[in-house]
Amino acid sequence: MSRASSVRVAEHELTLLDRRRRRALRRSTVATVLPQPADNLLLGMTGVENLTVAARHRRSPVGGLPAVIEAIGIGDFVERPCSTMSGGE
């Protein structure tokens, strides 16, 4: 007897979504973060500038960034140039 597979992301059952809806969910929910800042960020910009570029790329409202920055506790260094940040930051 075989069991049906189930894959859930953000409360969505992926096996039930068509290609278009899976792509939309992936674009709005999933991100890849590599361990080195140089692999993820535009080093000539600050953290805030990088977040703004990312939000615009994802068609997300930029006005919500201050609340996100506060909620995840990155306000201490997000104004610094990304070239000065460590991998953990």
Side-chain angles (χ1 to χ4, degrees):
M1 178 177 172
S2 67
R3 295 177 68 180
S5 296
S6 176
V7 179
R8 298 188 69 77
V9 172
E11 303 302 317
H12 296 276
E13 175 56 52
L14 297 185
T15 60
L16 301 177
L17 300 178
D18 62 22
R19 176 184 271 174
R20 182 183 59 79
R21 286 199 247 155
R22 282 193 314 266
R23 182 175 40 243
L25 180 64
R26 184 173 55 246
R27 288 179 176 169
S28 68
T29 307
V30 178
T32 302
V33 179
L34 303 172
Q36 296 302 316
D39 297 334
N40 296 294
L41 303 170
L42 302 169
L43 297 179
M45 296 180 167
T46 66
V48 170
E49 291 168 331
N50 271 271
L51 290 170
T52 300
V53 168
R56 288 187 176 139
H57 178 73
R58 295 178 77 79
R59 296 185 180 112
S60 297
V62 176
L65 286 177
V68 170
I69 290 167
E70 183 178 333
I72 60 177
I74 60 174
D76 292 342
F77 62 87
V78 77
E79 295 290 338
R80 290 190 359 232
C82 291
S83 60
T84 68
M85 294 181 185
S86 69
E89 292 174 330

